[in-house]
Amino acid sequence: MYFTKTRELNKYEKMMKRTPDIGSKRAEEEMPSCTKCLNKNLPIIRCRNCRCRNIATRAWNTGRTTKEWLERGLTQITYVPFAERLKSVLASFNGNRRYFHNWHELAFKSAVNHYSLRDDQVGKLASVYALSIQPELMKKVYVLSDRIIPFNAKLTFKEKKTLEFANQLLDPKAKLQLGWVSNDLMFSEAEFICLCNAILIRDYGMAVIRERLEPGRQYIRIPC
């Protein structure tokens, strides 16, 4: 071809052979940081779809409240019962709810230390976060590398459904079954928000529940 005659024009031939849009996805996956990424000005959901390795860093830099995370991270879920309940929660909720209660935070951090979980183990972190909403449940299960198993057969129906959901969260690419999570008779609004946080942890990492206060910005702290 004509463009191959000179090294300077050879880049145009490569552009002609490239599959449309492959450049931006490759840039996200291979870039050491977000500063030179072709998608740095696009919504963070693009990074999530590409499973970019820098997504946790980019999410951390946003400094969003819990409500903002819910709005931007979960509104693409099309399962009707879940979408309707999320819409209802967003209409009446504002600010942050990073943990269900003080003992939820203590139980989660204790489990992270006990299992020596790293920030890149997003599936396990999300599962443990969901389980620790019910501290008694944490005492009845053991977290393995690929699943969570109960060693106490005396589980309530709610604990069984929470355990099922936690096992789904272990795989970052698995499709979640959100039927019982969407049931307001099973999980209260505060528990629902925390289970949503667990989904966001699986997709975006620990940035979801880490506080990063920015000067001049109003943050509303909801008491547990």
Side-chain angles (χ1 to χ4, degrees):
M1 293 180 65
Y2 171 76
F3 292 129
T4 60
K5 291 182 180 180
T6 63
R7 181 177 297 179
E8 182 181 355
L9 297 176
N10 192 43
K11 60 182 180 180
Y12 295 108
E13 181 183 8
K14 292 183 179 180
M15 291 173 60
M16 293 167 62
K17 293 181 178 180
R18 183 179 297 169
T19 305
D21 199 41
I22 193 68
S24 59
K25 292 185 179 181
R26 185 177 299 163
E28 285 185 306
E29 293 168 354
E30 297 179 357
M31 281 290 177
S33 67
C34 298
T35 55
K36 296 183 179 180
C37 178
L38 297 178
N39 291 334
K40 64 180 179 181
N41 295 324
L42 296 178
I44 197 171
I45 189 67
R46 183 69 171 276
C47 302
R48 178 191 178 198
N49 291 339
C50 296
R51 295 292 174 186
C52 176
R53 66 181 182 180
N54 299 314
I55 189 170
T57 302
R58 185 176 178 188
W60 170 264
N61 291 333
T62 59
R64 292 176 180 158
T65 62
T66 301
K67 183 175 182 179
E68 290 173 318
W69 277 111
L70 297 177
E71 287 176 335
R72 302 194 184 194
L74 295 178
T75 50
Q76 80 284 354
I77 295 178
T78 57
Y79 179 62
V80 176
F82 182 87
E84 288 298 319
R85 187 169 192 195
L86 179 62
K87 183 178 178 181
S88 175
V89 167
L90 289 174
S92 59
F93 169 73
N94 191 24
N96 289 321
R97 181 174 282 280
R98 306 194 188 278
Y99 296 96
F100 177 61
H101 199 277
N102 292 336
W103 40 254
H104 175 209
E105 181 176 4
L106 292 173
F108 173 65
K109 291 181 177 179
S110 297
V112 169
N113 292 330
H114 177 72
Y115 294 110
S116 301
L117 300 181
R118 305 186 310 270
D119 279 7
D120 60 339
Q121 296 176 295
V122 290
K124 279 190 177 181
L125 287 168
S127 298
V128 171
Y129 179 88
L131 290 173
S132 55
I133 296 174
Q134 303 175 50
E136 290 300 319
L137 179 57
M138 287 295 299
K139 301 176 183 178
K140 302 177 182 179
V141 300
Y142 190 78
V143 181
L144 302 178
S145 58
D146 58 342
R147 66 188 184 278
I148 302 172
I149 58 173
F151 57 79
N152 189 325
K154 296 181 180 180
L155 295 180
T156 66
F157 185 75
K158 182 176 181 178
E159 289 176 336
K160 290 179 181 179
K161 293 305 175 184
T162 305
L163 179 60
E164 288 178 10
F165 183 66
N167 272 309
Q168 295 175 44
L169 290 170
L170 282 173
D171 184 0
K173 297 183 179 180
K175 185 176 181 180
L176 299 175
Q177 303 297 320
L178 300 172
W180 287 108
V181 174
S182 310
N183 191 326
D184 57 355
L185 297 178
M186 178 69 70
F187 297 102
S188 67
E189 180 177 309
E191 289 174 320
F192 174 76
I193 291 174
C194 289
L195 291 176
C196 288
N197 285 344
I199 299 174
L200 290 168
I201 291 172
R202 185 193 74 153
D203 293 336
Y204 297 103
M206 291 292 288
V208 174
I209 57 174
R210 281 182 179 152
E211 294 190 52
R212 185 182 184 215
L213 303 181
E214 296 179 354
R217 183 169 185 175
Q218 296 295 324
Y219 283 82
I220 301 174
R221 180 72 175 182
I222 296 180
C224 295

